[in-house]
Amino acid sequence: MSKELVPYLQQVRDLIQTGWCSRTLARDANDCVCEPDADVAVRWCLAGAITRVVQRDLSLRRAIEDAFVETVAKDAPTMARASLWAYNDCAPKGQLDVLDMIDRTIVSHSQ
C-alpha cells in the first residue's frame, strides 16, 4: 500500500502547508478551536489533518499514522504512535519540522 498512500500523504501536507496549529486538532480563522472536518477549519495539527483526510476510514488512518511513525522513528527511535501529537506540538520549528517530516515520508513511499 506504500505508493497508494502518497496522494493521502500529500493531502495531509497540503492542509498543514495551508495552516498549522498545535495543542488542538484544528482552529478557525478567529483562532477558535473547531473540529478538523468543519467547513470553518483553516489550521490543523498533524492529527487533525489526518482526521480531515481520512474521514472515517480507520484502515487508511492506521496506514498513514504507521507511515509517519516510521519516519519519526528514524529521527527519534523511542517515539511511539501516541507521540505523533507530541511530535506536532513539540517540533522546535513547528510547521516547518512537520512539513519536513511529511516530505520525507512522501519520498520514502514514492519509491
Side-chain angles (χ1 to χ4, degrees):
M1 183 181 209
S2 191
K3 285 188 179 184
E4 294 85 6
L5 275 183
V6 171
Y8 300 105
L9 299 172
Q10 187 61 53
Q11 288 177 43
V12 171
R13 189 201 190 286
D14 291 346
L15 289 172
I16 298 292
Q17 177 67 45
T18 298
W20 175 82
C21 67
S22 63
R23 302 195 187 342
T24 189
L25 291 174
R27 293 190 177 273
D28 66 15
N30 295 316
D31 205 33
C32 295
V33 173
C34 63
E35 293 298 318
D37 56 354
D39 291 338
V40 296
V42 296
R43 297 188 305 139
W44 299 266
C45 74
L46 182 58
I50 293 168
T51 299
R52 181 153 180 137
V53 168
V54 304
Q55 298 299 315
R56 290 178 167 64
D57 187 334
L58 297 180
S59 63
L60 180 57
R61 169 182 284 285
R62 179 65 179 236
I64 290 172
E65 289 175 349
D66 286 348
F68 289 145
V69 166
E70 181 181 315
T71 301
V72 170
K74 290 176 184 172
D75 296 330
T78 58
M79 282 210 167
R81 174 175 310 284
S83 294
L84 283 179
W85 283 66
Y87 181 84
N88 180 86
D89 292 351
C90 298
K93 295 179 186 171
Q95 182 183 27
L96 295 176
D97 284 341
V98 174
L99 287 170
D100 177 63
M101 184 275 297
I102 295 170
D103 288 342
R104 289 183 286 126
T105 304
I106 289 170
V107 167
S108 71
H109 286 269
S110 295
Q111 301 171 357

